[in-house]
Amino acid sequence: PLTGLSGMIAYRQGALAFDPKLAIGAESSASGTRPLLAAQADAVLRWAGGSLSAGARFDASLTSRDQFIRLGLESTLNLRLFQHLFTQLTGGYSVGLSGPAGSGYFAGGGLQADFGRVQLGLLYDRLWTSAAHDPQVHQALLSVGLRFQ
């Protein structure tokens, strides 16, 4: 992965893409477990062994919009493990827009399968929020994305 990154920098041969994703999962905290829907849009710089992306993410409760809605900025590093399988490291900052959702930093990791235009992912995120009743939130998400070059 790092050989491909150094080659991309040396020869300036990275590929740029736009990658929208939709994810469904669950969010768990001290106040309980809730179903979650997340939509994300990223600008992606790809090279032979991985990619680096930055974009915006929208999280909302599936049961009630009064529970939480968050908007965040996220950055992701993908590194090839084996053929179409990549490890995924994420981090960013999320702002609570409604309900008791607090604002704060998040970090996570997971796996992504890249099939060319289509990506499937499994991600775990941990949020450290400013909400007094939910200072730590855990999310597990299953995502599908499309790549546009």
Side-chain angles (χ1 to χ4, degrees):
L2 297 178
T3 304
L5 174 60
S6 64
M8 186 232 13
I9 293 170
Y11 297 107
R12 297 185 181 118
Q13 294 295 321
L16 291 174
F18 173 68
D19 188 6
K21 292 180 186 172
L22 188 60
I24 191 164
E27 177 173 292
S28 177
S29 66
S31 63
T33 301
R34 301 165 292 277
L36 167 71
L37 180 68
Q40 184 172 338
D42 291 329
V44 181
L45 176 61
R46 297 183 323 131
W47 60 89
S51 66
L52 182 64
S53 64
R57 181 168 136 184
F58 176 79
D59 293 346
S61 170
L62 280 175
T63 54
S64 169
R65 67 179 178 175
D66 295 332
Q67 285 184 339
F68 68 90
I69 293 178
R70 288 189 201 91
L71 183 61
L73 297 176
E74 178 174 297
S75 185
T76 304
L77 175 65
N78 289 334
L79 297 173
R80 185 183 310 270
L81 290 174
F82 179 74
Q83 293 185 356
H84 301 290
L85 187 63
F86 291 78
T87 184
Q88 192 174 30
L89 302 171
T90 65
Y93 188 81
S94 190
V95 176
L97 300 178
S98 76
S103 301
Y105 293 97
F106 63 90
L111 295 173
Q112 179 177 317
D114 187 340
F115 301 106
R117 254 185 103 99
V118 176
Q119 292 83 44
L120 300 175
L122 183 60
L123 179 67
Y124 165 79
D125 274 337
R126 182 172 177 188
L127 289 77
W128 293 270
T129 70
S130 60
H133 65 287
D134 280 338
Q136 294 184 21
V137 177
H138 304 271
Q139 294 179 338
L141 297 166
L142 180 62
S143 68
V144 61
L146 292 175
R147 179 175 297 130
F148 297 96
Q149 293 178 312

